[in-house]
Amino acid sequence: MPQGQPLTVPDDGLTTRERRNRPLLMVHTGDGKGKSTAAFGLAIRAWNQGWNIGVFQFVKSAKWRIGEQTVLERLGRLHDETGEGGPVEWHKMGAGWSWSRKAGGEEDHAAEAAEGWAEVKRRLADETHDLLVLDEFTYPMQWGWVDVDDVVETLANRPGRQYVVVTGRRADPRLVEVSDLVTEMTKLKHPMDAGQKGQRGIEW
Amino acid sequence: MPQGQPLTVPDDGLTTRERRNRPLLMVHTGDGKGKSTAAFGLAIRAWNQGWNIGVFQFVKSAKWRIGEQTVLERLGRLHDETGEGGPVEWHKMGAGWSWSRKAGGEEDHAAEAAEGWAEVKRRLADETHDLLVLDEFTYPMQWGWVDVDDVVETLANRPGRQYVVVTGRRADPRLVEVSDLVTEMTKLKHPMDAGQKGQRGIEW
């Protein structure tokens, strides 16, 4: 891929280096494949740069354990053992977040999503991670489980040098507005259209 | 993400299991980000399933060493050392493919691309890999460095259970036609539009 050239140089008083190093807020949206996979690919690259990675999966089922989690957690252990790459934390909503696992009981997805966002917000304030992946976070935003204006304001005004990538369909226009890089994945052709179900190793 | 249900069930004489296990030919195209990153994400998942991975990067510059290569090769060594995951081979065109590195000399990208495709074709015939990533392969197709009909026929009729993902802009309609899963990544918003250049750890 050729190195791109900026179309315009903004009058923002920043040097090219300062602008280049501005931490990005990224969104992967659309109805196609690859939104989460590309976000995890970013996390893999970031690990290789020694970044501190935090993944927060806002999915309902804890059973859905995907290969990326295994691999990123393995890379995290590799960091702990050998110093290679960066540290990795992977949290998912499922049956309660790992920092507040409750035994049994009814699941309240809305409350869990709000709790997950509250934790992300604390970590953003503390500058815990260099890259935060908020996987499928557009859904709690859409369903009113978190306050969209709070999310947008918090992400837009996060301190320090924290990269954030949000994935999921139907990203809120307010989120798109404050984001630096927004990619839409569109399905041109999908095997489910031809009667094929998800495949192990490809879909999860 | 909810488990999708097929829109139609084809009258192809296959059971659901046979259809589910049909190896996929996938294309990531469009002008947006994430085409290669999502393909490498698939490779990461496939590694975790113990698949044999072959990556073939049809890029012109060998200098452009991206984080995914480091990480996937590291995972490949982890496999060799501990038996975890699957084996990984990563080849890139650059200044000659690794299986036929020539010292110095003029670079002939067209000949190198043709040589790369000939090697991929041999491996497909030999069923060497479970997943082949043909990264940025749409460009040699577009530039006439490889014969598109030969590529399409070879990929469509590959033997056994080999998954293939092709990345790059402007995928040829003939390739799209024979592919099972085609995703278009579209740029909605990009920091280069606001005068920001590529960032280490994000762009490469």
Side-chain angles (χ1 to χ4, degrees), chain A residues 95-152:
Chain A
W97 295 96
S98 47
W99 57 76
S100 68
R101 188 83 63 190
K102 301 173 188 86
E106 286 300 295
E107 293 179 28
D108 181 342
H109 298 317
E112 284 183 4
E115 187 189 331
W117 167 243
E119 176 69 18
V120 167
K121 204 171 163 178
R122 280 190 293 271
R123 291 178 184 223
L124 284 166
D126 292 345
E127 304 183 34
T128 309
H129 303 288
D130 301 306
L131 171 67
L132 296 93
V133 178
L134 308 185
D135 190 40
E136 313 220 32
F137 189 48
T138 58
Y139 304 107
M141 292 177 72
Q142 185 183 0
W143 298 328
W145 293 354
V146 295
D147 182 83
V148 175
D149 289 324
D150 177 44
V151 167
V152 167

Side-chain angles (χ1 to χ4, degrees), chain B residues 48-61:
Chain B
N48 188 53
Q49 299 286 344
W51 292 16
N52 184 316
I53 316 289
V55 179
F56 302 85
Q57 278 197 298
F58 287 82
V59 291
K60 283 186 285 182
S61 170

Side-chain angles (χ1 to χ4, degrees), chain A residues 20 22 45 199 202, chain B residues 20 22 45 196 199 202:
Chain A
R20 178 193 288 263
R22 187 183 62 184
R45 287 190 201 175
Q199 296 192 358
I202 294 298
Chain B
R20 178 193 288 262
R22 188 183 61 186
R45 286 190 201 175
Q196 186 161 5
Q199 297 192 356
I202 294 298

Side-chain angles (χ1 to χ4, degrees), chain B residues 4-33:
Chain B
Q5 285 299 317
L7 297 178
T8 60
V9 175
D11 183 22
D12 55 11
L14 297 174
T15 66
T16 299
R17 175 179 294 271
E18 285 166 343
R19 207 175 295 114
R20 178 193 288 262
N21 288 327
R22 188 183 61 186
L24 299 177
L25 175 57
M26 294 166 278
V27 175
H28 296 172
T29 192
D31 292 341
K33 307 289 297 179

